[in-house]
Amino acid sequence: MLHSIDYTTSQKAAAARFINLRTKKKVKEFIVKQRGYKCPDFNRMILDLCKLGWTHEKIAFVLPVANASTVSEWARGGMPNFENGEAFIELWKSETGIDRIPRKGEWQSYKYEIGQLNLL
């Protein structure tokens, strides 16, 4: 009888180790995927909208945010919460007609023209 209790305990321990290994594998896969992720460049998108005639006040009015100071904070490097960020990205896409979201750190590798950049 004592032997069967030890057997089930060792089975549980082996199962726990297996789950732990599987979890570690998932975490490692997530970390590897996260290395290449670059967050959206909200400052660049705000500048693009400003070149198209939008103001921080107008952006704040259209989006579900409190006021223009929130948009100004994003322009200075702040990060919006998920819902506001998604709404802002959709606004930027609809106004610029560009589907690819600009990412931080790629301003030299990926260029597009917004507004009257070829004026001179």
Side-chain angles (χ1 to χ4, degrees), residues 8 27 29 43 56 68 79-80 96 120:
T8 57
V27 168
E29 289 173 0
N43 182 27
H56 290 193
M79 295 296 290
T96 61
L120 300 175

Side-chain angles (χ1 to χ4, degrees), residues 26-98:
K26 287 181 182 179
V27 168
K28 185 176 180 180
E29 289 173 0
F30 174 75
I31 290 172
V32 168
K33 286 179 185 176
Q34 190 179 19
R35 285 182 195 153
Y37 176 77
K38 295 178 182 174
C39 64
D41 192 353
F42 291 106
N43 182 27
R44 182 174 175 180
M45 290 191 279
I46 290 171
L47 289 174
D48 291 343
L49 288 178
C50 288
K51 288 178 184 175
L52 293 173
W54 286 73
T55 62
H56 290 193
E57 292 83 10
K58 190 174 178 182
I59 293 170
F61 180 75
V62 171
L63 297 179
V65 296
N67 51 29
S69 65
T70 305
V71 178
S72 298
E73 180 63 30
W74 298 346
R76 288 191 302 270
M79 295 296 290
N81 65 21
F82 182 79
E83 292 84 13
N84 292 341
E86 283 294 312
F88 179 72
I89 289 170
E90 289 302 317
L91 172 67
W92 180 83
K93 282 182 177 181
S94 68
E95 289 299 308
T96 61
I98 300 173

Side-chain angles (χ1 to χ4, degrees), residues 1-41:
M1 183 130 179
L2 201 72
H3 185 352
S4 65
I5 294 173
D6 290 338
Y7 182 70
T8 57
T9 304
S10 65
Q11 279 182 332
K12 288 180 183 178
R17 279 194 303 270
F18 178 72
I19 290 171
N20 193 18
L21 287 174
R22 191 171 45 194
T23 304
K24 284 183 181 178
K25 184 177 179 183
K26 287 181 182 179
V27 168
K28 185 176 180 180
E29 289 173 0
F30 174 75
I31 290 172
V32 168
K33 286 179 185 176
Q34 190 179 19
R35 285 182 195 153
Y37 176 77
K38 295 178 182 174
C39 64
D41 192 353

